[in-house]
Amino acid sequence: MTKQKKVCMLGAFAVGKTSLVARFVKGIFDERYLTTVGVKTDRKDVAVGDETVRMVLWDIQGEDELQPIKPSYMTGASGCLLVVDGTRPETLDVARRLKIWGEANAGPIPFVMLLNKVDLTADWALQDEDLQGDNRPGCRVIQTSAKTGEGVEDAFRILAEKMTAGDA
Amino acid sequence: MSDEALSADHETRAAERPEDPAPTPEANLDALESLRDIVFGKRLEQLEVLRDRVGRLKVTLAELHASADQRDAAAARELAERIAATDALGARLDELQARATRIESEARTALAEGADAAEALARRVDAAEALAERVEGEGGLAERIEHVERLTDRVDDIERLAQRVQDIDRLDERLATVEPVRERVVDEDLRAEDVGAVLPRAVAARARKDGQLAASLRPTIEDTLEASVRRNPQALVDIIFPVLGPAIRKMIGSAITSMVGSINRAVESSFTIRGLKWRMQAWRTKRSYAEIALMHGLVYRVEELFLIQRGSGLLLAHASRGPESEEPEVISGMLTAITDFVRDSFDVEQGSEVETFRVGDLTLVVKGGSKAVLAATVRGVPPPALHDRLQTSIEEVHRDYGRQIDAFDGDMESLAGVEALLEPNLLEEAKGRKKRGPASLVFWVLLAVVAATAVTSLVTNRMRAARVERDVRQLARTLQAEPGIVVTDVHEGDERWIVEGLRDPLAADPEELRAKSAVDGEDVELRMGAYRSLEPVFVQRRLLDRLSVPDTVRATWRDRTLVLTGPVYSAWIRTALQAVADVPEVDGVDISGLTPDPALDALLVSRAVLIAQRVPVDTPVTDELIASVREQVEGARTTAGERFAVELQVITLLPRAEDEPKARAQAATVVRLLERAGIQSTEVFRSPADLARPKPDDLMPAGDSPEIRFDLTVRLAEGGR
């Protein structure tokens, strides 16, 4: 059985949301940065047990003061990926704020927080203690790299599992 | 009591006490006064007490009056309100009325009792008065009487007072019964309950009466609706969406219909080449001309349909014609994101939708409902009718799958069947062939029409000619089969077919046979010569005609033999034998059944043979001869009258056998000419053998040369026998 699930990618601008989707869906990575305007949708099937979760990914533009995200994009979302740039600690705050915002607009849905750009070890700025309180059953935290692919599949698979568990 | 009477009374009483010493007036007065004091002292004390009580009661009464008036007024007001409010309470008031009446009657009884008491008192006063009169002299009596009268007035006052007290009690009782009513009126819950019980009836009754209720409620209802819609517009949208959609569509539909009608009228008068072409197409497809004209401007194809959940953008169903998009879910999501983006980014009216996107020749038509959106990708120019169709479709989806859409959890299986509603919208209008030059088109059309007409005409004519020939030959075969008709030739003339042949006058009419056949009278000419058929049926008919069989005789045929039966006069037997012998086609005559009847023979007494004329066979048959014979026949007929029949026999007497051909030809000519002159005759030949044995009828002997004799036989007519 295949079930469609709407998944929103949230995070500050330039944390790598589009790259993560490209890596997850198409298995590619492009060094160039192209900012997302509005939203871009994509699709990927993930097998969970004997079910197939068809994730319809809404890659929403990065949050910043000039471009607030439209609440309507969250309508009907079944899960959410919060993306943090591990080299920019301030993006963690944005992610935390977006989590609250997302819950307010889509209800209590599962979240997975992605600490992206883990390949940039030299510039890594997040310490474990920074994340205390973030890694909870309702919000897993996973280190990823869109460039190397590390953790990407896991992150999406975990969210798919959580969304399926929500149905059961 | 008058003074005299009193005085008299006093004297009487004085006379009844003679033993008393005569008292002095002072002592009398003292004694009287002390007696008065003794007798009335106590009474006066009582009266004083009563006076006090009366005074107090008066005050109380006044207060009670005031308070009762007040309470009455309040109660009455409340009652009035109550009565107006409910019919039920009115009934209760009636009951109260009844109770009040009862109380009143009780009060009346009490009063009667009071009156009795007063009467007793009055009696006692009378006694006191009598005593006083007995004791008192005339001087003080009037004063005492006045006093007693005052007392009587007071007693009256007391009576009135008692009545007022009764009244007060009654009022108290009435107030007690009014109390529950007041409670119901004052208690808001109870009042609400009461009003609620009668409210629907009250509303209905008022609405029947006039429109005042509606007028009063209108502003409130309008305000309520307005507030409700302002607070939650989606609820109203959900409610009216299934109703409003079709209504609006119907309205627009009728507007379009009238527009198409006017286009129709406008274009109907335009006779361009293209117009003619479309007109032909309209005729061929049985559609209106305007429809065809519109269609030619609007060629399109619906390629894919997406049914999308509103809000989430999840794909609910997908239908396509031919190759479909690889990722319809992505398109569905993106389409939702874009329409959301457009709506959120521009200042558009609440509830407005993006309805059309256009990229090159691809148009995306979006029709939204409250729960789902239907998007169609259209190649070419979508006609307005497509919009209507898609709108109807999304309304149907809402009607049939509204709940499933609400409960959609991402599993498209849960909406199985919804595609069936969508697929009819995958419409296509193929483009026609490359447009020909108009002149060329007209040429081909005309050529085709001319050729078709020519071929049709040729084929029709050939087919008709073949049919006529077949029918004429069939008719010839029918005629040939008919007894007494011989067809000798059938051939095609200049304008019609000609059938030639011979016909016995007794045979069927060939024209009648033709009329019964499939051949038209204008297609054939029947040329029939006369002849005498030797077919038995005609020979027999002719023989019997000539025999003039008496009605006592029955004539039948046994093969070619005439069988005669029945009684007859003997002379006729010979006639019959002769006649049969003259017809070679008849084998013979069976006269064994004929019985000569003497009675009939007797009738022949009146029979006479007159020799009208006798001429040599060589003599030419002239008009004078015929006229002479005719004259004699008619003369004989006139003479004989109706009872007698006059028959003419043309008898050829042949003394020599070699004269026979000439004599027979001559006799036939004579018979024919006589027939033409209106005289029927029978031919009789007398061979040389016959002449050698003369018959009784031969009134005149035969000469040596052949001759024709005209015998007139006069006998009783058949009807006369």
Side-chain angles (χ1 to χ4, degrees):
Chain A
M1 186 171 71
T2 303
K3 277 191 174 179
Q4 284 180 73
K5 296 288 174 193
K6 177 174 174 178
V7 174
C8 291
M9 306 285 295
L10 295 177
F13 69 95
V15 293
K17 295 181 293 297
T18 307
S19 296
L20 282 164
V21 171
R23 163 62 68 190
F24 176 58
V25 176
K26 304 190 177 77
I28 55 167
F29 179 76
D30 192 331
E31 288 279 2
R32 288 174 296 175
Y33 173 69
L34 292 167
T35 187
T36 304
V37 177
V39 66
K40 164 94 174 66
T41 59
D42 229 318
R43 181 186 87 170
K44 172 88 174 185
D45 289 355
V46 177
V48 177
D50 52 1
E51 260 188 34
T52 303
V53 178
R54 176 160 292 173
M55 300 175 89
V56 179
L57 301 164
W58 285 51
D59 177 13
I60 299 168
Q61 67 185 21
E63 161 84 356
D64 69 24
E65 285 159 4
L66 294 174
Q67 299 180 36
I69 305 172
K70 297 182 191 310
S72 61
Y73 292 160
M74 287 300 294
T75 309
S78 299
C80 185
L81 291 168
L82 295 165
V83 186
V84 176
D85 180 349
T87 66
R88 290 189 290 151
E90 71 275 14
T91 61
L92 180 60
D93 296 331
V94 175
R96 285 170 178 159
R97 208 171 60 241
L98 284 171
K99 180 172 184 288
I100 294 164
W101 176 86
E103 280 174 334
N105 286 295
I109 55 172
F111 284 79
V112 172
M113 186 179 277
L114 283 72
L115 305 180
N116 197 29
K117 308 192 184 176
V118 75
D119 55 295
L120 301 174
T121 43
D123 300 322
W124 196 255
L126 286 178
Q127 306 305 316
D128 284 352
E129 53 265 33
D130 294 336
L131 297 161
Q132 279 177 357
D134 288 314
N135 198 356
R136 290 191 306 265
C139 181
R140 284 282 301 278
V141 177
I142 295 165
Q143 293 195 344
T144 59
S145 167
K147 189 173 182 180
T148 64
E150 181 188 340
V152 175
E153 288 281 341
D154 285 346
F156 282 93
R157 184 182 43 75
I158 287 166
L159 184 64
E161 283 167 358
K162 281 172 169 244
M163 290 190 297
T164 313
D167 282 349
Chain B
M1 194 180 286
S2 68
D3 287 353
E4 292 84 354
L6 277 174
S7 166
D9 192 31
H10 189 251
E11 280 168 13
T12 314
R13 284 176 198 163
E16 281 169 6
R17 291 193 300 265
E19 69 276 12
D20 286 356
T24 64
E26 286 85 5
N28 277 346
L29 189 62
D30 284 341
L32 195 64
E33 272 175 4
S34 67
L35 188 67
R36 185 197 66 189
D37 288 340
I38 291 161
V39 174
F40 290 112
K42 210 167 181 177
R43 184 65 60 202
L44 280 172
E45 265 171 36
Q46 284 171 344
L47 284 170
E48 209 59 46
V49 171
L50 274 170
R51 192 192 294 144
D52 284 346
R53 273 185 67 188
V54 167
R56 277 200 312 276
L57 278 165
K58 266 184 184 167
V59 172
T60 318
L61 194 64
E63 284 168 354
L64 277 170
H65 261 304
S67 124
D69 285 345
Q70 224 170 4
R71 276 149 73 179
D72 264 351
R77 212 171 35 249
E78 284 157 358
L79 275 169
E81 281 171 15
R82 189 64 199 143
I83 286 161
T86 70
D87 294 337
L89 290 179
R92 281 201 75 166
L93 273 179
D94 285 343
E95 193 187 315
L96 282 178
Q97 196 71 45
R99 284 181 69 177
T101 312
R102 203 165 61 240
I103 289 161
E104 213 168 1
S105 83
E106 282 167 12
R108 222 172 263 129
T109 315
L111 266 180
E113 283 165 12
D116 288 344
E119 217 169 82
L121 192 60
R123 274 198 304 273
R124 288 180 74 176
V125 167
D126 279 346
E129 199 177 51
L131 191 62
E133 276 171 6
R134 206 171 58 202
V135 173
E136 195 186 270
E138 269 183 46
L141 198 60
E143 224 175 85
R144 273 168 187 76
I145 286 164
E146 203 176 288
H147 190 74
V148 168
E149 268 171 10
R150 276 204 302 276
L151 282 174
T152 311
D153 286 344
R154 280 185 180 174
V155 168
D156 285 342
D157 282 344
I158 289 164
E159 273 174 18
R160 279 199 295 276
L161 192 63
Q163 200 171 353
R164 294 310 289 263
V165 168
Q166 290 280 354
D167 285 344
I168 289 160
D169 286 343
R170 218 168 63 206
L171 277 171
D172 273 343
E173 271 192 16
R174 286 187 72 167
L175 273 177
T177 57
V178 167
E179 194 56 29
V181 176
R182 195 186 67 84
E183 263 176 36
R184 287 196 85 89
V185 171
V186 170
D187 189 315
E188 288 194 345
D189 289 344
L190 288 172
R191 206 165 59 199
E193 198 178 305
D194 287 342
V195 172
V198 297
L199 194 60
R201 261 191 299 157
V203 168
R206 185 61 207 232
R208 271 199 301 276
K209 195 178 161 197
D210 58 25
Q212 198 60 45
L213 188 69
S216 317
L217 289 175
R218 194 171 299 122
T220 315
I221 290 173
E222 282 170 354
D223 289 352
T224 311
L225 270 176
E226 199 183 340
S228 165
V229 171
R230 196 170 290 147
R231 204 181 58 200
N232 187 7
Q234 191 60 37
L236 185 74
V237 169
D238 285 349
I239 293 165
I240 65 173
F241 174 74
V243 182
L244 213 54
I248 292 172
R249 223 159 3 81
K250 197 171 175 186
M251 192 189 81
I252 294 171
S254 76
I256 289 174
T257 308
S258 74
M259 187 189 78
V260 166
S262 66
I263 292 175
N264 221 353
R265 283 193 294 282
V267 294
E268 226 138 43
S269 53
S270 64
F271 271 89
T272 58
I273 299 296
R274 192 178 59 174
L276 283 170
K277 182 178 154 193
W278 289 357
R279 201 169 288 281
M280 273 182 70
Q281 194 176 356
W283 171 76
R284 223 168 7 89
T285 55
K286 306 248 185 299
R287 288 154 81 178
S288 83
Y289 178 67
E291 217 175 326
I292 298 295
L294 277 171
M295 194 191 75
H296 278 277
L298 307 166
V299 178
Y300 70 99
R301 169 192 169 103
V302 179
E303 297 198 322
E304 279 188 271
L305 292 163
F306 302 85
L307 183 66
I308 304 164
Q309 188 177 29
R310 187 178 274 290
S312 74
L314 290 174
L315 185 67
L316 298 168
H318 179 231
S320 72
R321 170 194 287 284
E324 58 185 61
S325 309
E326 279 181 17
E327 296 182 329
E329 293 88 352
V330 175
I331 293 173
S332 165
M334 206 59 215
L335 193 58
T336 307
I338 293 167
T339 52
D340 285 354
F341 176 79
V342 172
R343 205 179 38 230
D344 293 351
S345 305
F346 300 100
D347 185 19
V348 292
E349 208 177 320
Q350 181 85 24
S352 303
E353 300 261 13
V354 175
E355 289 198 354
T356 316
F357 296 88
R358 189 168 295 156
V359 186
D361 73 335
L362 187 74
T363 305
L364 207 65
V365 180
V366 183
K367 292 287 165 193
S370 60
K371 303 171 197 295
V373 174
L374 180 63
T377 56
V378 184
R379 199 63 73 177
V381 183
L386 181 68
H387 288 264
D388 287 352
R389 219 194 145 106
L390 294 173
Q391 187 62 48
T392 309
S393 197
I394 187 70
E395 281 157 12
E396 283 170 356
V397 167
H398 276 76
R399 189 190 61 209
D400 297 350
Y401 290 90
R403 283 191 196 156
Q404 287 94 318
I405 293 171
D406 280 340
F408 184 68
D409 66 344
D411 180 11
M412 282 165 75
E413 298 279 304
S414 66
L415 286 165
V418 75
E419 286 94 345
L421 283 182
L422 304 181
E423 274 161 4
N425 297 315
L426 290 169
L427 299 167
E428 180 179 46
E429 189 61 61
K431 272 189 177 158
R433 284 183 300 162
K434 289 272 183 195
K435 198 173 157 190
R436 284 179 189 279
S440 139
L441 178 84
V442 169
F443 171 77
W444 284 112
V445 167
L446 288 175
L447 187 67
V449 168
V450 168
T453 311
V455 167
T456 310
S457 152
L458 196 66
V459 168
T460 313
N461 286 346
R462 284 298 289 274
M463 281 168 68
R464 185 173 183 282
R467 200 185 64 229
V468 169
E469 180 175 2
R470 195 188 61 216
D471 291 344
V472 167
R473 293 198 182 279
Q474 177 61 44
L475 174 63
R477 280 194 291 277
T478 308
L479 291 172
Q480 182 69 59
E482 188 66 27
I485 294 177
V486 180
V487 175
T488 54
D489 192 20
V490 179
H491 64 272
E492 205 172 1
D494 290 338
E495 286 178 4
R496 61 183 77 175
W497 283 79
I498 294 163
V499 177
E500 289 183 299
L502 298 167
R503 169 182 174 254
D504 189 296
L506 294 173
D509 184 0
E511 205 51 46
E512 272 177 28
L513 292 169
R514 200 274 314 149
K516 284 180 193 164
S517 77
V519 183
D520 196 270
E522 288 183 8
D523 290 327
V524 73
E525 183 186 337
L526 303 173
R527 295 179 185 164
M528 291 287 156
Y531 88 113
R532 282 200 174 181
S533 169
L534 292 182
E535 288 195 50
V537 60
F538 295 107
V539 170
Q540 290 164 6
R541 267 176 67 185
R542 263 195 291 275
L543 176 62
L544 291 177
D545 283 351
R546 216 170 64 193
L547 268 178
S548 56
V549 179
D551 48 9
T552 52
V553 176
R554 186 160 162 269
T556 52
W557 290 90
R558 190 173 61 232
D559 292 331
R560 284 161 57 120
T561 302
L562 179 62
V563 180
L564 299 166
T565 49
V568 73
Y569 59 95
S570 28
W572 189 79
I573 298 174
R574 281 200 307 280
T575 313
L577 287 171
Q578 180 62 54
V580 171
D582 286 344
V583 182
E585 291 77 27
V586 175
D587 287 346
V589 61
D590 180 357
I591 54 165
S592 59
L594 281 179
T595 48
D597 189 344
L600 289 174
D601 283 332
L603 283 173
L604 289 176
V605 172
S606 59
R607 185 174 181 272
V609 178
L610 312 170
I611 301 303
Q613 202 111 12
R614 56 188 299 170
V615 291
V617 167
D618 292 331
T619 311
V621 183
T622 59
D623 287 344
E624 286 77 10
L625 172 64
I626 298 301
S628 162
V629 172
R630 185 182 165 209
E631 197 183 327
Q632 291 183 55
V633 170
E634 285 182 351
R637 276 184 183 157
T638 310
T639 311
E642 279 182 12
R643 282 196 69 226
F644 294 87
V646 177
E647 288 171 359
L648 174 65
Q649 281 189 318
V650 178
I651 303 172
T652 309
L653 303 170
L654 285 169
R656 292 189 302 269
E658 61 269 26
D659 294 318
E660 187 177 349
K662 189 171 67 179
R664 278 188 181 271
Q666 184 77 335
T669 305
V670 168
V671 167
R672 196 175 67 245
L673 289 172
L674 281 170
E675 192 175 354
R676 198 179 285 168
I679 303 297
Q680 291 293 334
S681 59
T682 47
E683 279 178 70
V684 179
F685 284 91
R686 293 284 165 80
S687 64
D690 289 330
L691 293 177
R693 292 179 278 105
K695 297 179 179 178
D697 286 349
D698 293 341
L699 301 177
M700 292 175 72
D704 291 333
S705 56
E707 60 180 1
I708 290 175
R709 211 177 69 196
F710 297 90
D711 283 5
L712 280 173
T713 307
V714 179
R715 58 173 173 79
L716 272 176
E718 306 213 337
R721 278 204 297 268

